[in-house]
Amino acid sequence: MAEIEPFHVMALLARARELEAQGRSIIHMEIGEPDFPTPEPVIRAGVRALERGELFYTPTPGLPQLREAIAGYYRSRYGVALPASRILVTTGASAALMLACAALIDPGDEVLLADPGYPANRHFVRVVEGVPRAVPVDAASGYQLAPTHLERHWGPRTAAALVASPSNPTGTLISTERLAAMVEIARARGGTLIVDEIYHGLVYEGEYTTAAAFADDVFVINSFSKYFNMTGWRIGWMVVPEAYASEIDKLAQNLYLAAPTPAQHAALAAFEPETLAILEKRRQELQARRDYLVPALRGLGFDIPVMPQGAFYVYAGCGRLTQDSFGFTRDLLERGGVAITPGIDFGANAPERHVRFSYANSIERLQEGVARIAEFLRKS
Ligand SMILES: Cc1ncc(COP(=O)(O)O)c(C=O)c1O
């Protein structure tokens, strides 16, 4: 427990809410979830499920029709045929990551992780007594693990490498070639690649596909949280190698029994053409926000050497503005009325010189945020 840290952004968010309660206006650029509501067809499906009384446990791996629908989505979106038996519905990507770590890691086993990266990952590893090995990444590899990192850092106790593409906090993608090469390296060393695809769908340029398209021994993590705008429903899924499906079913039975039943019924509507059309509009809106925000931040003196191709984050170097990103985010909130996330939340790789901006906010609010940051910088 001593090694598990809270997300610093949560304290920042709490302070922002406190200031708002005192009547201050705060521009939120720290939040890690879409600002869009759950699409109407999904809500309607959820309400209908509640009214029908669909409130009993489902089978642990998920409603059979939802597993089939997810398999259908892989067919239509990526052209990949997957048996529904390899798809397990989970309580968000969070539970899927936890299950993957529990299934693959023995005490003392190492897992390679990009730094900066999603902060919970190292804790999932730690909870099952694994050893998270943070590998510093920078602009040269698009802030992602690359095959060369795996070759260099894979040791005798390494069991897996965990990547996210697009990444939180950097929004960058791993190319299909690199992903395939990393699968090969992991396989050759008797290990596994875990690929978190939670931000799939929210990609604005560049070709990408699921790792399940070219390997059936990877663990693919996904969720209804981000692209489908369903964070609070707590539902996601994983694609696992056939040999692991019943093992993970057993584990999930014991850990949490099943994902929420109403959420599973609601998620059945997530792949309807009507929903996908709504989501595509929202993707375009996010792209417009990114296209506004990145040049605006560069103009203020933030360093963004690689254009983030996906998610809704910009990971920016602030070394020309401050050497203390934590103090900077605190002062910016208190004096400037803008909330952003300090680098410390994403690892130990120069966090004091980085901050994360989220563009899960309207373009008008982002413009106001940029104006406030400009004013704050002028005064400091
Ligand atoms: C990279 C990444 N993976 C997993 C998660 C967990 O998402 P959820 O449990 O809501 O599906 C998040 C949430 O921010 C994330 O950024």
Side-chain angles (χ1 to χ4, degrees):
M1 285 309 295
E3 288 176 36
I4 310 289
E5 295 156 73
F7 294 180
H8 291 92
V9 68
M10 292 303 186
L12 202 100
L13 180 60
R15 178 62 186 149
R17 299 283 184 226
E18 213 171 84
L19 291 172
E20 284 173 324
Q22 294 166 13
R24 283 275 305 278
S25 141
I26 304 295
I27 303 287
H28 290 278
M29 298 172 80
E30 82 283 34
I31 293 180
E33 65 182 325
D35 55 318
F36 304 117
T38 298
E40 257 310 302
V42 175
I43 294 180
R44 281 201 307 271
V47 168
R48 279 198 304 272
L50 289 172
E51 286 170 348
R52 285 198 311 270
E54 306 272 13
L55 290 163
F56 298 94
Y57 293 135
T58 69
T60 297
L63 283 175
Q65 61 271 41
L66 180 57
R67 298 169 78 194
E68 285 296 345
I70 296 170
Y73 184 62
Y74 277 87
R75 248 189 328 272
S76 58
R77 173 150 215 144
Y78 306 107
V80 179
L82 292 177
S85 57
R86 287 184 54 204
I87 294 164
L88 309 175
V89 177
T90 58
T91 50
S94 300
L97 287 162
M98 186 70 250
L99 291 167
C101 288
L104 293 171
I105 300 165
D106 283 330
D109 281 352
E110 296 176 358
V111 178
L112 304 181
L113 303 165
D115 182 350
Y118 178 54
N121 288 340
R122 63 178 182 274
H123 300 139
F124 290 128
V125 174
R126 199 62 200 93
V127 155
V128 294
E129 297 180 40
V131 180
R133 280 273 173 252
V135 178
V137 293
D138 57 22
S141 64
Y143 295 101
Q144 286 280 10
L145 287 181
T148 49
H149 291 120
L150 264 58
E151 271 157 3
R152 205 170 323 134
H153 296 277
W154 202 286
R157 288 305 309 264
T158 308
L162 196 171
V163 298
S165 176
S167 139
N168 176 7
T170 69
T172 51
L173 279 174
I174 304 178
S175 72
T176 302
E177 297 70 37
R178 283 194 179 177
L179 209 49
M182 288 197 271
V183 171
E184 270 306 319
I185 293 167
R187 186 183 291 147
R189 286 159 176 76
T192 306
L193 194 70
I194 306 169
V195 187
D196 182 348
E197 300 184 348
I198 187 169
Y199 293 103
H200 266 216
L202 298 177
V203 174
Y204 317 113
E205 67 212 11
E207 289 297 306
Y208 70 106
T209 187
T210 172
F214 49 81
D216 51 20
D217 55 352
V218 286
F219 277 61
V220 172
I221 309 295
N222 211 321
S223 175
F224 289 96
S225 286
K226 311 288 174 160
Y227 176 58
F228 298 96
N229 310 145
M230 292 178 66
T231 44
W233 298 81
R234 306 310 306 131
I235 179 162
W237 73 88
M238 63 202 298
V239 181
V240 302
E242 195 75 65
Y244 278 93
S246 62
E247 291 297 284
I248 295 195
D249 179 350
K250 177 180 78 179
L251 197 53
Q253 280 170 25
N254 282 280
L255 292 182
Y256 63 85
L257 283 172
T261 305
Q264 294 192 55
H265 283 276
L268 280 169
F271 306 118
E272 295 295 328
E274 192 189 353
T275 308
L276 294 175
I278 296 169
L279 298 178
E280 172 55 19
K281 278 217 192 72
R282 293 175 177 182
R283 189 193 66 83
Q284 288 169 10
E285 164 68 22
L286 285 168
Q287 174 164 4
R289 295 175 186 178
R290 179 200 70 155
D291 291 347
Y292 159 69
L293 187 61
V294 171
L297 293 176
R298 284 177 175 151
L300 291 177
F302 291 96
D303 295 309
I304 307 162
V306 182
M307 184 63 159
Q309 301 110 308
F312 37 77
Y313 305 118
V314 182
Y315 192 66
C318 56
R320 286 191 283 149
L321 305 170
T322 179
Q323 296 298 314
D324 170 19
S325 66
F326 195 72
F328 181 83
T329 57
R330 198 187 45 221
D331 294 348
L332 180 61
L333 175 62
E334 298 289 339
R335 300 211 306 270
V338 179
I340 60 173
T341 309
I344 183 81
D345 257 351
F346 308 105
N349 177 14
E352 66 289 345
R353 279 180 278 123
H354 290 89
V355 291
R356 186 194 72 177
F357 293 85
S358 156
Y359 46 93
N361 207 337
S362 70
I363 212 144
E364 294 73 26
R365 301 291 284 169
L366 297 177
Q367 284 165 341
E368 171 64 18
V370 166
R372 288 187 190 184
I373 298 169
E375 179 66 13
F376 170 80
L377 291 173
R378 241 190 322 275
K379 286 187 182 156
S380 48

